[in-house]
Every structure is written in structure tokens, then in C-alpha cells.
Amino acid sequence: MTAGERLVTASPHLASGHTTPRIMWTVVASLVPVIGAAVWFFGPSAVFVIGAATAGALATERVFGRAGSLMDGSGLITGLLLGLTLPAGLPIWMAFVGGAFGIGFGKLIFGGLGQNVFNPALLGRAFLQAAFPVAMTTWPAEQVSWWTLRGDTFALPLMAGKAADVVTGATPLGLMKFEQQGTTLSHLMLGNTGGSLGETAGILITLCGLYLALRNYLNWRIPASIFLAVLVFAGLLHQLDPGRFPAPLFMLFSGGLMLGAWYMATDMVTSPVTNGGTWVFGAGVGFLVVVIRVWGGLAEGVMYAILLMNALVPFINRATQPRVLGTRERSGA
Amino acid sequence: MGELAWIFLSAAVINNFTLALFLGLCPFMGVSGKLDTSLRMGAANTFVLTITSLCVWALNTYVLPHAPYLQLISFIVVIASLVQIVEMAIRKLSPTLFREMGIFLPLITTNCAILGLAIFQTNRGYGFLEGIVFALGAGVGLTLALVLMASIREMSELADVPEAARGLGLVLIIAGSLSMAFMGFAGLLSAS
């Protein structure tokens, strides 16, 4: 550009450097400890399952996505998060299909990053849950050796799997729901329990989430309101009948609530844009989690709670539009 | 009281007519483009559902015990004439709404949700009050599905959807996703 020539651009003129790829890659980096914990607890199976889910997501993004969209990191996040919500013994072809479905039908069909309605990772998981309900709820128990595969990992696609000779266990939520048996809180917090790959180490996920919240890469109001809603609602129920309803802290640290609240619900695309809306959104997620866990047919409800509130987000955005400064009217419309 | 509340919740959310039983899909696909219209479509459907439930109860109590072979045909006649009444009323009261709903208003006649309600109600042996609560629940559920779909579609209107999926294709995919999300309610309250 020669001197005297003016460059006319639209605002904003000061770029902070917080670009979409940078945020996404930071989120990926913050997931590394969580994945490490999954590998620590579940052995090589964790690597295979998370790897397959990620491969499914990335391959779909590469084939059907816009040129260069692979590098923004969002497909990678979807794959990693999906992998973390799967049980360790899942055959890897199912994980691959889940990743492909999540990216294809959860994101690309809506026009790519920023335009999807549902969280792609959770949509992929909901699809797997509907298609392979048995495989998705088979939880391996603690193994003798770290190297043991936790299930029929290399099953051929669409073939009847051979009976895997793995000891299966139950998740803390399943134990609570179907056998009225509690799990020690410290075990839940430190990860020494059965469950999906990423739902075992509550403390670690909280630390990673807090880091993102401090950098303002996720809206702290969403996890805060989810935890608050779960604590209040589960606490009330526990007060009414401690024998029947589990304690609120158990609710908070069991299942996928930590991963869901810090990483899934806070997805920038599928959560409300206004701060008021995020409180409504979080409270709704917390309420639905408790409703599905306590009264539903399933032991775990975090995925469905977040998906249902995702569906409400356009409505919440509409209802919580801020007023135009100096007028009584809501903006837009 | 608890029984009635369960019937309502079951029809509205757990076994949502549209998202769990896949009934009443044509207004769900056709009139879910705008939030206002979809709300009113939901209201019109709820109205027809409730009156149908009343008429079905009367038919089941007074007519059908004497002539059981008339069941389907009498249901259809009742529904068709009800829809005609609603159509005439809307045409007089709100010509704009009449135009917006277009073909989908008379199509309520063939809306499977309505006939489905009549048959469910008969098979489950619901009485007068239970039938009305069931119909109200089904109507609220249908409206809920319509409103969810409309708000999502209004947002996706500006999205850069691939050519192949534009229009009805995307609507069907959103409907499938919504339906998967509603699977979370499956089995709710049935254990207790």
C-alpha cells in the first residue's frame, strides 16, 4: 500500500488475537490432562476409542467440510469430546461412526462451524446410544493388567460380536439407580470408578475447565448455573427423602456431569449469546439432569439434558434479547 | 389427580405425539417456518384435538356400543366436520392467519395426530376427563414441537446450508435430531 492511500474496513479495528482457531486449540490443549487420565484408568482401549472417534470426525470434516476447516480445531474437539463420553470397551468402528455422524449431521449439514444447533459430539453420542444401546452401556470393571483391552475393541463392523471375556462393572449412577448403592465421594472426585472414559476424574476436569473459564474461553455462568441448579434441586429432593434420592454432591460428581457442564454445555455455538440466557440455559440443563436421573428410565441424563436445552437455545436467544439503549424495545425483530 | 397429571405429561413430553410417536408430521414440516404461525397452528390443533376428544367420548358412550363397526367412519366424519368449523371460524376472524396456514388448515382433517388421539383414547378406555386431559397434553406437545422447530428454523434461515439439504431436507434432519434428544424422556416416571 502506498502512502496516502486509505484502507477502509469495517469495525472492529483492534484485533485481540483471540481467533477461533486459537480458542479451539487452547480447548484441545486443556483436554490433554483429561485424556491422560482416561488412558491412565482405562489403558490402551482409551487410546483406541478416542482415536477412532477423532478419526471419524476429522475424516468427515476433511471430505465434506469447507477447504481449510480442518485446521480450525473444532472437528478435533468434537472427536475428542465424543471419545471421552464413550465406554472404554466400545468397538472402535462404532466410535468412528459416531464421530462421522456427529460432524456430518450435527455440524456440516447446518453449514459448518457456527451454524449448528446441537452439540455435534453429543449428537454423535445420542446416535450411538440409539443405534447400539447394549454396547453403549457395557462398562468394563477394573482390570488386572493395565494392558488388557477393555472389550471387543477390534470387532468387525456390523458383525455379531463374539462374547467378550471381560469383567463388566457398573457405573456409580447405575449402582445408585438400580441397586440403591452409593459410591464414596472421594472415589468419584479422583476417578477411581467405572463409567465412560471422561466421566471419572471430576476434580481434574474441573481444574481444566477453570483454566478455560479464567481465560474467558468459556462462559463461567453456564457451569455455575448447572451446578447450582443440580445442587438446589437434588438437595431439596434429598431433604424430602434421603433414602430414595441421592445426595446432591453425589449427583454433582457422578456420571458425565463435570465433562458435560465444563466442555459440552459451554460450546460457544450451541449455548445462548446473552448472559441472562446462559443462566436460563444452565438452570434448565441442571433441572433436566436431575429429572432424568431420578425419574427416567436411564441412569444418566446429562447428554439428553444438554441436547434438549440446545434445541431451546434459539428460543432463549429470542426471549432474552437486550433492550436497545434508550428505548423500550427489544433489538432486532 | 396424579393419574391425570401423568396422562398430561406423558402425552405432552414423554410420548410426544410428534417427536416420539411421529404423528402429525405434516403441520410439523409444513407450518414450522415462522414462530407466530407455528404457535397458532399448534393452538388450532389443540382446539381440534380437545373437541375431537369430547366427541369421541360421546360416540364411544352413546353410539358405538350399538354399532361398533361404525368406529373409524364416525371418527373421520367428526374430525372432518370439526376442521370445517375451525376453518370457517379462522377465515372470518383472521384472514391473514388463514392465508398463512394455507393448505395445512384443511389438512388437519387428515392429520394423523387427530385420528391417532381418537384411537388411543378408545383403546386405552379413557373416560370423559381423562380424554380431555389427554387431548390437551397432546396439543401442548404438538405445539411444543412446532415452536422448537420454528425457532430452530428461523435461526438456520441465514445459515449456509449445503445445496442438497436446503428446505425440507434440513427440516427432516432437525426433526430426527430433536427426536433423538427426546429419547432422554423415554421411560420417565414409568418405574415409580
Side-chain angles (χ1 to χ4, degrees):
Chain A
M1 202 190 319
T2 53
E5 212 179 307
R6 284 192 196 131
L7 180 67
V8 183
T9 57
S11 64
H13 302 292
L14 284 177
S16 69
H18 295 288
T19 56
T20 307
R22 187 165 151 192
I23 294 177
M24 293 294 174
W25 286 107
T26 312
V27 175
V28 170
S30 78
L31 275 174
V32 168
V34 183
I35 295 169
V39 176
W40 171 261
F41 287 120
F42 293 101
S45 286
V47 181
F48 288 127
V49 170
I50 296 177
T54 310
L58 291 182
T60 315
E61 179 90 48
R62 177 74 187 78
V63 174
F64 296 106
R66 208 156 291 138
S69 67
L70 204 55
M71 291 316 294
D72 66 20
S74 62
L76 183 59
I77 293 186
T78 300
L80 293 178
L81 284 178
L82 171 67
L84 284 173
T85 63
L86 300 175
L90 195 75
I92 53 172
W93 71 271
M94 292 183 187
F96 187 90
V97 169
F101 184 92
I103 288 287
F105 286 91
K107 191 170 88 172
L108 294 180
I109 206 90
F110 288 96
L113 181 64
Q115 290 159 333
N116 47 314
V117 178
F118 299 96
N119 184 317
L122 287 178
L123 202 65
R125 190 185 194 280
F127 172 74
L128 289 178
Q129 177 90 53
F132 315 110
V134 178
M136 288 295 287
T137 45
T138 306
W139 315 101
E142 193 105 10
Q143 299 293 312
V144 190
S145 151
W146 184 81
W147 289 100
T148 328
L149 287 182
R150 266 42 170 195
D152 198 5
T153 306
F154 297 108
L156 288 173
L158 302 177
M159 298 289 148
K162 59 176 190 298
D165 49 350
V166 231
V167 191
T168 54
T171 65
L173 275 171
L175 281 177
M176 184 54 136
K177 190 174 184 87
F178 303 118
E179 289 161 43
Q180 275 77 43
Q181 193 180 328
T183 308
T184 330
L185 200 58
S186 62
H187 281 189
L188 288 174
M189 287 184 178
L190 295 174
N192 196 8
T193 58
S196 295
L197 292 171
E199 62 179 36
T200 53
I203 296 264
L204 192 65
I205 297 171
T206 307
L207 287 178
C208 296
L210 271 178
Y211 166 73
L212 288 181
L214 283 177
R215 297 203 58 177
N216 218 2
Y217 284 176
L218 61 80
N219 192 336
W220 59 270
R221 291 169 189 84
I222 295 174
S225 53
I226 294 177
F227 298 150
L228 207 65
V230 169
L231 279 179
V232 169
F233 190 41
L236 279 177
L237 288 176
H238 188 62
Q239 285 299 315
L240 282 179
D241 187 355
R244 198 166 148 230
F245 302 113
L249 272 180
F250 171 80
M251 281 287 198
L252 209 55
F253 278 98
S254 58
L257 188 69
M258 281 296 157
L259 192 70
W262 287 109
Y263 280 97
M264 312 278 196
T266 51
D267 177 1
M268 291 178 176
V269 181
T270 56
S271 55
V273 287
T274 59
N275 282 338
T278 55
W279 286 108
V280 180
F281 176 76
V285 171
F287 175 76
L288 285 173
V289 166
V290 179
V291 166
I292 295 179
R293 279 186 183 178
V294 172
W295 288 293
L298 305 157
E300 176 57 312
V302 172
M303 165 180 75
Y304 291 116
I306 296 177
L307 281 176
L308 285 166
M309 290 313 286
N310 279 165
L312 272 174
V313 163
F315 193 75
I316 295 175
N317 278 340
R318 240 180 110 102
T320 56
Q321 274 175 28
R323 296 184 196 295
V324 176
L325 192 64
T327 70
R328 282 156 183 274
E329 277 153 36
R330 290 182 181 278
S331 56
Chain B
M1 193 58 220
E3 178 73 1
L4 287 182
W6 192 83
I7 291 178
F8 183 84
L9 264 183
S10 163
V13 182
I14 305 166
N15 296 313
N16 186 297
F17 264 49
T18 312
L19 295 172
L21 302 175
F22 306 110
L23 293 173
L25 287 182
C26 47
F28 186 56
M29 301 290 157
V31 204
S32 54
K34 277 202 289 185
L35 197 57
D36 300 349
T37 325
S38 67
L39 253 178
R40 292 181 208 176
M41 189 68 191
N45 264 304
T46 311
F47 178 77
V48 176
L49 281 167
T50 315
I51 307 290
T52 306
S53 162
L54 278 177
C55 298
V56 165
W57 172 80
L59 281 173
N60 276 339
T61 318
Y62 299 110
V63 181
L64 291 178
H66 311 291
Y69 54 89
L70 278 181
Q71 192 195 41
L72 269 183
I73 200 112
S74 60
F75 286 174
I76 291 171
V77 168
V78 162
I79 293 168
S81 42
L82 272 174
V83 173
Q84 276 305 304
I85 294 171
V86 174
E87 192 182 346
M88 285 192 287
I90 291 183
R91 200 200 315 236
K92 284 284 178 206
L93 295 175
S94 168
T96 351
L97 182 62
F98 183 75
R99 261 201 311 281
E100 276 174 13
M101 286 190 178
I103 185 68
F104 292 101
L105 189 55
L107 269 185
I108 297 182
T109 315
T110 54
N111 185 342
C112 38
I114 317 273
L115 187 61
L117 175 106
I119 292 173
F120 278 136
Q121 185 184 348
T122 312
N123 289 353
R124 294 179 189 171
Y126 284 158
F128 179 74
L129 205 57
E130 289 159 327
I132 291 186
V133 171
F134 182 53
L136 280 177
V140 168
L142 203 67
T143 315
L144 179 76
L146 274 165
V147 165
L148 278 180
M149 179 58 103
S151 54
I152 292 175
R153 275 180 76 176
E154 279 190 356
M155 195 187 82
S156 293
E157 213 150 74
L158 298 173
D160 184 17
V161 177
E163 193 71 52
R166 237 165 252 175
L168 208 55
L170 189 70
V171 179
L172 281 166
I173 286 165
I174 298 175
S177 310
L178 273 176
S179 181
M180 283 204 291
F182 264 70
M183 283 173 74
F185 290 123
L188 203 68
L189 295 177
S190 60
S192 52

